[in-house]
Amino acid sequence: MSTTSHKPPVIGDVAREAGVSVPTVSRVLTGAARVSEEKRQRVLKAIERLDFRPSVTARALVARRPRLIAVLAGNTSRYGYAETIRGIEESARAAGYTVSITVVETADEEVVDSAVALVLNQPIAGIVVLKFDRPGVAALHRLPKSIPTVSISGVRETGVPQAVLNESDAAHELVEYLLDLGHRTVHHVRVPPSRKEDGRTTGWRRALIARGAEVPTPFDASWDPESGRIIGMELADRPEVTAVFCGNDEIAMGVIRGLYERGRSVPRDVSVVGFDDHPLARMWTPPLTTVDQDFAGLGSRAYGLLDGLIEGRKVRMFSVERPPIVVRESASPPRG
Amino acid sequence: MSTTSHKPPVIGDVAREAGVSVPTVSRVLTGAARVSEEKRQRVLKAIERLDFRPSVTARALVARRPRLIAVLAGNTSRYGYAETIRGIEESARAAGYTVSITVVETADEEVVDSAVALVLNQPIAGIVVLKFDRPGVAALHRLPKSIPTVSISGVRETGVPQAVLNESDAAHELVEYLLDLGHRTVHHVRVPPSRKEDGRTTGWRRALIARGAEVPTPFDASWDPESGRIIGMELADRPEVTAVFCGNDEIAMGVIRGLYERGRSVPRDVSVVGFDDHPLARMWTPPLTTVDQDFAGLGSRAYGLLDGLIEGRKVRMFSVERPPIVVRESASPPRG
DNA sequence: CTGAAAGCGCTAACAG
DNA sequence: CTGTTAGCGCTTTCAG
């Protein structure tokens, strides 16, 4: 006398349907022990007939460790973020983990706390926090120490294990390249920093100081290319500006556009370089000189560290990589 | 005599530490019933001291419905995908859901099945599948019917409830615009279609036929702008090509670059239009004429449908929006 | 208000 | 091989 309920079937329903005990069903489900072929078939049939799917929650409660990795980020769709997440997901998936994403919109306490609460409300094996911006940094600070956590950043910092792209060295090299071209100094348009100063800005500053060049006040852009365009228009009115180092390629494209709208040509009138090697950087006119950041690889390395933590292996605190600069056509010697 | 174990504390530990029963701890945790202020404080202290966090898995098993929404997509980092995911996550988070992402790399059966298995291996409340490509379509077909599912697409199709951006109408309008400018026909470079033909291509074809224009064979690009560049170079050698409608802005930018590298100018020599209104479309030289696709809104609408399904409300099968075209400077009347 | 008792759905340990 | 017996960690009756 089966009650036609509309709730999903449970293992007991299958057992009854197949005329076996619950553990026997479990055995065919997990393959943990041998079951006679006959009962096995009956069970399989019953499972099919009932469209039964074991409750992952119940399974998790009994034995299995969580197979979910949470990513906390200030953003998901901008190039660097999206690629980093892609790298994490790809590696995690290969290892049988699912990745969840929760964005931390601002660094406000409430916002951060509610995002963190959301994350902790899932059965997670570990957390990756993208520390590219203020919200990311804030989130990291609110996470309980008891959960395996790694961070991703553009600069080495103590705390949890960290995957980093050494941005300051790359920026340093890029600025030196500009200086070597003959520019007296290099102006800088930065993206929203994660703390006082990001690696890109630090590298720029150091290179300038090392060469005894003047260090101009940086311009502040948002993540929107449009903000770069506005700054580009301002820059167009300042003849002393001959070289500009932008915080990322999208901003560089905006800056170039702004310059162009004000009648200045790149690189003839002013050289502009970016950072990241966005897929469109090479399509731009002129093709952008920039730094090739392997974000997907970065995400992948972060997963590697996290996996070590989860498995209880001894993991090193840093996985650092030095991104190479890629010279194209948006920078040249200054005029005259 | 407390055993100093290194396993995370459970509710029983807290109860012992506070000198109360387990249900009492549970009551202060959930606020489900009144607890004397004194015991309440003792419990809170014990929780703090032990750094206890209730097992979400156990909680889920007892009562709570899953608070995880899975997104299945062929890709996560390309503009349209990333923005759509952002829209889903934003709405889901506002409603207290976390979003997981799993990529379906190809439409191969094994690949699709393992991605689907990964998703079903989490306690999920519902699924949204991005049906922008073959892998997405394939994944949708392998999903059990018993789980609330919605899809996102550029064209109306029967099946599960669906959020759609009416791409064919927009493409139709864009092609008409080009024809009105005086072009005899419009060539088409398409991105990888999700089925025989995508809405963008259908709209293009229909517009051409409606006007009695010749329908040239479309060119096939990948998602990589570089593939657009290659095609652009080919196009440069064909003087009969005066207008090109590209499957998305990134491809359009590649096409323009290829044309440019072969000495042709846009829009003077050939008009090129894109699709999506990528943030860089407006920065491009020339600024791209395109279709303004509200991907984030699309994701948000998809979440709305899914939420209805999860809550058991009656939900309509379609949430359709018609994206507007945005005229900028990459298209003009043909020369001569 | 509060403790004892009874599960949630599944797997593991233990006898046969 | 297979059924019975115990839980996993938490919430929810159900008596007091």
Side-chain angles (χ1 to χ4, degrees):
Chain A
M1 183 172 48
S2 80
T3 318
T4 305
S5 139
H6 276 264
K7 295 178 61 64
V10 298
I11 195 171
D13 300 330
V14 176
R16 196 175 329 114
E17 179 86 7
V20 300
S21 71
V22 167
T24 294
V25 176
S26 175
R27 284 173 190 121
V28 350
L29 247 26
T30 62
R34 313 201 61 69
V35 172
S36 72
E37 193 50 28
E38 189 225 328
K39 298 203 170 178
R40 184 187 162 63
Q41 289 307 332
R42 295 221 307 267
V43 169
L44 257 18
K45 286 237 172 55
I47 287 176
E48 174 110 350
R49 203 155 30 210
L50 267 37
D51 189 28
F52 164 79
R53 247 179 320 282
S55 153
V56 292
T57 309
R59 282 184 154 180
L61 181 58
V62 176
R64 284 237 322 282
R65 301 152 318 156
R67 299 303 277 181
L68 184 62
I69 284 174
V71 174
L72 267 162
N75 182 299
T76 59
S77 59
R78 297 266 166 218
Y79 176 65
Y81 292 87
E83 279 290 294
T84 303
I85 292 169
R86 181 169 77 79
I88 299 170
E89 194 277 342
E90 196 172 311
S91 298
R93 175 161 37 86
Y97 282 94
T98 300
V99 168
S100 77
I101 308 236
T102 111
V103 352
V104 190
E105 307 247 14
T106 70
D108 295 346
E109 191 168 341
E110 299 176 45
V111 173
V112 172
D113 284 350
S114 78
V116 167
L118 206 55
V119 165
L120 298 181
N121 233 10
Q122 297 294 148
I124 54 176
I127 304 177
V128 178
V129 4
L130 268 51
K131 233 172 36 171
F132 292 153
D133 48 32
R134 288 233 152 71
V137 172
L140 184 56
H141 289 321
R142 314 289 302 178
L143 256 20
K145 271 118 196 81
S146 54
I147 298 176
T149 304
V150 305
S151 72
I152 292 185
S153 172
V155 53
R156 292 174 61 128
E157 287 167 315
T158 52
V160 299
Q162 197 170 153
V164 1
L165 278 174
N166 189 333
E167 299 185 346
S168 63
D169 282 6
H172 194 288
E173 181 181 352
L174 195 52
V175 170
E176 269 186 332
Y177 165 76
L178 256 11
L179 260 15
D180 287 343
L181 247 23
H183 296 276
R184 316 252 331 239
T185 190
V186 175
H187 285 71
H188 178 41
V189 179
R190 58 182 193 175
V191 287
S194 60
R195 72 219 87 217
K196 291 186 313 296
E197 185 166 300
D198 267 345
R200 300 172 192 203
T201 300
T202 302
W204 159 78
R205 183 187 305 284
R206 285 213 195 108
L208 254 24
I209 291 173
R211 293 295 189 89
E214 185 206 343
V215 180
T217 307
F219 291 78
D220 284 294
S222 70
W223 293 105
D224 186 349
E226 173 65 12
S227 69
R229 191 180 66 90
I230 307 291
I231 293 170
M233 294 194 301
E234 285 176 44
L235 257 20
D237 297 332
R238 300 178 44 175
E240 80 277 17
V241 176
T242 66
V244 183
F245 164 50
C246 299
N248 73 212
D249 290 339
E250 291 167 88
I251 296 302
M253 298 184 209
V255 166
I256 293 173
R257 178 72 200 167
L259 250 9
Y260 179 83
E261 288 181 0
R262 278 282 192 277
R264 318 228 19 184
S265 155
V266 173
R268 213 192 48 208
D269 300 322
V270 9
S271 291
V272 177
V273 301
F275 213 93
D276 288 356
D277 200 18
H278 188 288
L280 290 168
R282 189 233 174 291
M283 301 296 142
W284 197 254
T285 302
L288 249 44
T289 289
T290 185
V291 169
D292 176 11
Q293 299 249 90
D294 178 12
F295 286 113
L298 178 65
S300 181
R301 285 186 285 127
Y303 169 75
L305 291 175
L306 184 57
D307 182 57
L309 241 40
I310 292 172
E311 301 296 338
R313 289 196 301 272
K314 200 179 316 166
V315 338
R316 59 189 189 295
M317 282 305 282
F318 296 103
S319 163
V320 183
E321 209 166 83
R322 161 72 187 281
I325 78 173
V326 8
V327 173
R328 286 200 275 247
E329 301 163 28
S330 65
S332 64
R335 278 223 279 192
Chain B
M1 186 170 49
S2 79
T3 318
T4 305
S5 137
H6 276 265
K7 296 178 60 65
V10 298
I11 197 171
D13 299 330
V14 175
R16 197 175 328 115
E17 179 84 9
V20 300
S21 72
V22 166
T24 295
V25 176
S26 175
R27 285 174 188 120
V28 350
L29 247 26
T30 62
R34 315 201 61 69
V35 171
S36 72
E37 192 51 27
E38 189 225 328
K39 298 203 169 177
R40 185 188 161 62
Q41 289 307 332
R42 295 220 306 266
V43 168
L44 257 17
K45 286 236 173 54
I47 288 176
E48 174 110 351
R49 205 156 27 211
L50 267 38
D51 188 28
F52 165 79
R53 247 179 320 282
S55 152
V56 294
T57 310
R59 281 185 154 179
L61 180 58
V62 176
R64 284 237 321 281
R65 302 152 317 156
R67 299 302 279 179
L68 185 64
I69 285 174
V71 174
L72 266 163
N75 180 300
T76 59
S77 59
R78 297 266 165 218
Y79 176 65
Y81 292 86
E83 279 290 294
T84 303
I85 292 170
R86 180 169 77 79
I88 298 170
E89 194 277 342
E90 195 172 311
S91 297
R93 174 161 38 86
Y97 283 94
T98 301
V99 168
S100 77
I101 309 235
T102 112
V103 171
V104 191
E105 307 247 14
T106 70
D108 295 346
E109 191 167 343
E110 299 175 46
V111 173
V112 172
D113 284 350
S114 79
V116 167
L118 206 55
V119 164
L120 298 181
N121 234 8
Q122 296 294 148
I124 54 177
I127 303 178
V128 7
V129 4
L130 268 51
K131 232 172 38 171
F132 292 153
D133 47 33
R134 288 233 151 71
V137 173
L140 184 57
H141 289 322
R142 314 288 302 178
L143 256 20
K145 273 117 195 80
S146 54
I147 298 177
T149 304
V150 306
S151 72
I152 292 184
S153 172
V155 52
R156 292 175 62 130
E157 287 167 314
T158 51
V160 299
Q162 194 169 157
V164 1
L165 278 173
N166 189 332
E167 298 186 346
S168 64
D169 281 6
H172 194 287
E173 182 181 351
L174 195 52
V175 170
E176 270 186 329
Y177 164 77
L178 256 11
L179 261 14
D180 287 342
L181 247 22
H183 296 276
R184 316 251 332 236
T185 189
V186 174
H187 285 72
H188 178 40
V189 179
R190 60 183 192 173
V191 287
S194 59
R195 73 218 85 219
K196 290 186 314 295
E197 184 165 301
D198 267 344
R200 300 172 191 203
T201 299
T202 302
W204 160 80
R205 181 188 306 283
R206 285 214 195 106
L208 254 26
I209 292 173
R211 292 296 189 86
E214 186 206 342
V215 180
T217 307
F219 291 78
D220 284 294
S222 70
W223 294 104
D224 186 349
E226 173 64 13
S227 69
R229 192 180 67 90
I230 307 292
I231 293 170
M233 294 194 302
E234 286 176 44
L235 257 21
D237 297 331
R238 300 177 44 175
E240 80 277 17
V241 176
T242 67
V244 182
F245 164 49
C246 299
N248 72 212
D249 290 339
E250 292 166 270
I251 296 303
M253 298 183 207
V255 165
I256 292 173
R257 178 71 200 168
L259 249 9
Y260 179 83
E261 288 181 1
R262 278 282 192 276
R264 317 226 23 180
S265 155
V266 174
R268 211 191 51 206
D269 299 323
V270 10
S271 291
V272 177
V273 301
F275 213 94
D276 288 355
D277 200 17
H278 188 287
L280 289 168
R282 189 235 174 289
M283 300 296 141
W284 206 254
T285 303
L288 249 46
T289 288
T290 184
V291 169
D292 176 11
Q293 299 249 89
D294 178 11
F295 286 113
L298 178 65
S300 180
R301 285 186 284 125
Y303 169 77
L305 292 175
L306 184 57
D307 181 58
L309 242 39
I310 292 173
E311 302 295 338
R313 290 196 300 271
K314 200 179 317 167
V315 339
R316 60 189 189 296
M317 281 306 280
F318 295 103
S319 163
V320 183
E321 209 165 82
R322 161 72 187 281
I325 78 173
V326 8
V327 173
R328 286 199 276 247
E329 301 164 26
S330 64
S332 64
R335 280 223 280 191

